[in-house]
Amino acid sequence: METAAMISFDEALDIALGAARRLDTEQIELAQARNRVLAQEVRADISMPPYDMAMVDGYACRRADLGSELRVVETVPAGYAPAKATGPGECAKIMTGAMLPEGADCVFMVEHSEPTDGDGVRFTREDTSDNILPLGKNIAKGDLLLSPGHRILASDVAVLASMGCVRPKVYKRARVAVIATGDELVEPEIQPSPVQIRSSNGVQLCAQVEAMGCIATYIGIAHDTEESLEACLKSAMDGHDLALFSGGVSMGEFDLVPGILEKNGIKIQYDRVAIQPGKPTTFAYSDDLFCFGLPGNPVSTFVIFELLVKPFLLAMMGHDYRPPQVRMRLASTMTRKSGARKAWVPVVTTDDGRIARVDYHGSAHINALCHAEGIIAFPEGTTELPEGTEVAVRLIRT
Ligand code: AMP
Ligand code: MG
């Protein structure tokens, strides 16, 4: 196999995003819409609120009458139209969310009222806000609320519901085959022999894929033989959009994944990326299947999924992913030995609102990420980040 030159991470991401093919669309039930990507516009079919709305439980009256004793002429619960207009010296007892009666221009809170001797009510404060949400204040009928490409989270589900968009058109979920490779691996339920380890990447990658709203199929553990890898690849080629291999892409004698991909007409676009962890990251595709070969160390697998596979999967589903990040200052100076590659390091927030490195011994340190809230990058060429430096923290517990 020809080995391409090492490329920068940004190039690697651009190549993958540029190659991503948009999946088809489908209509789904609103209850299933979370974590999917919209393939339609959502416009307001009604204004919100659809009427002048009381925002507190209290009494609706004319502002000019706030200083006087008021006669209570009716009670207006939410969901019912007021029966009367509010005239001078009158008020209506009104509930939060109910329609304001004609004539009233403010609502004072029930907590700021007291009964009067004559069966009326009095405002007990100097002044009050109007406590009215005017018709159409938040949304006007016809407004564009959500556009194609919008990733639907819980708050968006609420917007779809409020507009009666109960069968939204979304992009299909990417179907992802996950294959662990390595003769040293056993499934997690097996007690490993002294020369074996439990495979953690299979279940980790499936979890990461599912968290993106995609469908993960766990194919299994491939042995480090051409036959076994090819059998797993063939399974992945059947009914999947993407295959994720973990391990088997380094320079070792048994790192056979790239060769098997090429043999099956899946063209390698790159197989060395200037990033740490993740140098042997491989990207390949044919007309029918995309493949990422991820380095086998669990932290590498996790981080490269976050940085590269996640934006790629979301691009296939029509979403332009902007990773959540915050800018924070370093609690202490961080150093590293070599500045040859851009390097990502797991970090946590400190009590004084800065960030510090978690205990991290490198990409095999599987439990380091359990305590990390984010990852930060040492830029290429940099071996020291002094205390107080403001850095972008890419959040990973989202
Ligand atoms: P490789 O990329 O195949 O050279 O593997 C690099 C390291 O990651 C080795 O120590 C492997 O044992 C480990 N590794 C590979 N695959 C997995 C996996 N599925 N789960 C846990 N560790 C793995
Ligand atoms: Mg291996």
Side-chain angles (χ1 to χ4, degrees):
M1 187 203 73
E2 242 177 76
T3 301
M6 184 138 82
I7 61 172
S8 75
F9 177 77
D10 290 346
E11 267 179 275
L13 181 61
D14 282 350
I15 291 171
L17 294 180
R21 287 185 287 260
R22 196 62 63 81
L23 296 168
D24 290 340
T25 61
E26 61 183 342
Q27 276 190 290
I28 55 158
E29 296 301 320
L30 180 57
Q32 313 303 323
R34 191 180 69 91
N35 254 342
R36 303 293 295 268
V37 180
L38 264 179
Q40 66 165 90
E41 283 187 343
V42 177
R43 286 186 181 274
D45 73 333
I46 52 171
S47 296
M48 288 295 276
Y51 46 83
D52 292 336
M53 180 185 276
M55 293 305 285
V56 295
D57 295 321
Y59 295 90
C61 69
R62 297 168 177 237
R63 176 167 285 282
D65 291 344
L66 278 175
S68 327
E69 179 179 339
L70 298 166
R71 198 160 58 85
V72 185
V73 295
E74 67 170 322
T75 297
V76 190
Y80 296 87
K84 303 175 180 137
T86 306
E90 293 179 345
C91 68
K93 190 166 194 189
I94 194 163
M95 310 299 145
T96 303
M99 182 187 277
L100 193 76
E102 287 284 321
D105 57 8
C106 81
V107 180
F108 62 87
M109 292 168 74
V110 71
E111 295 91 327
H112 302 162
S113 72
E114 64 183 13
T116 62
D117 296 339
D119 274 357
V121 72
R122 192 191 338 266
F123 178 52
T124 58
R125 297 287 166 103
E126 283 294 298
D127 200 8
T128 176
S129 312
D130 290 343
N131 297 317
I132 295 166
L133 189 61
L135 186 159
K137 169 82 175 172
N138 295 338
I139 295 172
K141 184 172 175 174
D143 276 356
L144 177 61
L145 302 179
L146 298 169
S147 299
H150 192 92
R151 193 160 162 227
I152 304 170
L153 301 182
S155 52
D156 306 306
V157 172
V159 173
L160 296 176
S162 69
M163 293 306 144
C165 185
V166 291
R167 284 185 56 75
K169 187 168 140 194
V170 297
Y171 289 98
K172 286 195 166 171
R173 306 167 74 193
R175 300 159 304 167
V176 184
V178 172
I179 300 160
T181 76
D183 281 347
E184 74 281 30
L185 302 177
V186 293
E187 293 294 358
E189 63 272 21
I190 307 290
Q191 181 66 41
S193 79
V195 292
Q196 294 176 324
I197 60 167
R198 295 191 181 96
S199 170
S200 57
N201 290 340
V203 73
Q204 173 183 290
L205 283 170
C206 287
Q208 287 180 290
V209 165
E210 297 274 351
M212 288 301 92
C214 304
I215 302 167
T217 313
Y218 177 59
I219 304 282
I221 297 170
H223 292 293
D224 289 322
T225 65
E226 295 197 354
E227 299 69 37
S228 177
L229 281 167
E230 195 158 20
C232 288
L233 175 61
K234 291 264 152 76
S235 300
M237 288 164 94
D238 183 16
H240 299 96
D241 305 298
L242 173 68
L244 293 179
F245 288 87
S246 96
V249 289
S250 303
M251 296 302 272
E253 201 175 322
F254 300 101
D255 292 326
L256 306 171
V257 172
I260 291 298
L261 295 179
E262 293 236 304
K263 185 178 163 212
N264 284 275
I266 301 172
K267 208 168 165 335
I268 297 197
Q269 307 300 308
Y270 49 80
D271 61 6
R272 291 290 173 273
V273 179
I275 189 165
Q276 188 187 17
K279 184 168 145 192
T281 297
T282 298
F283 177 58
Y285 63 89
S286 67
D287 288 345
D288 308 311
L289 186 71
F290 290 97
C291 295
F292 281 104
L294 309 177
N297 273 313
V299 177
S300 314
T301 311
F302 181 93
V303 168
I304 297 299
F305 184 96
E306 277 291 316
L307 299 179
L308 186 60
V309 182
K310 191 164 169 174
F312 176 82
L313 279 173
L314 289 168
M316 288 188 86
M317 295 192 293
H319 176 68
D320 179 14
Y321 180 62
R322 300 291 150 98
Q325 52 180 33
V326 291
R327 295 194 70 80
M328 294 183 79
R329 291 188 187 281
L330 292 183
S332 58
T333 299
M334 288 190 195
T335 57
R336 61 172 174 154
K337 288 202 192 82
S338 157
R341 287 180 279 156
K342 183 177 184 178
W344 290 89
V345 178
V347 292
V348 282
T349 50
T350 58
D351 289 343
D352 64 352
R354 302 201 286 177
I355 50 155
R357 212 182 163 124
V358 297
D359 187 29
Y360 175 54
H361 314 146
S363 59
H365 194 171
I366 186 168
N367 55 333
L369 291 178
C370 299
H371 308 289
E373 290 162 89
I375 49 177
I376 63 165
F378 273 97
E380 193 180 318
T382 307
T383 53
E384 184 180 298
L385 294 171
E387 178 189 342
T389 307
E390 194 185 86
V391 293
V393 183
R394 187 154 166 155
L395 304 174
I396 58 168
R397 302 200 81 84
T398 55

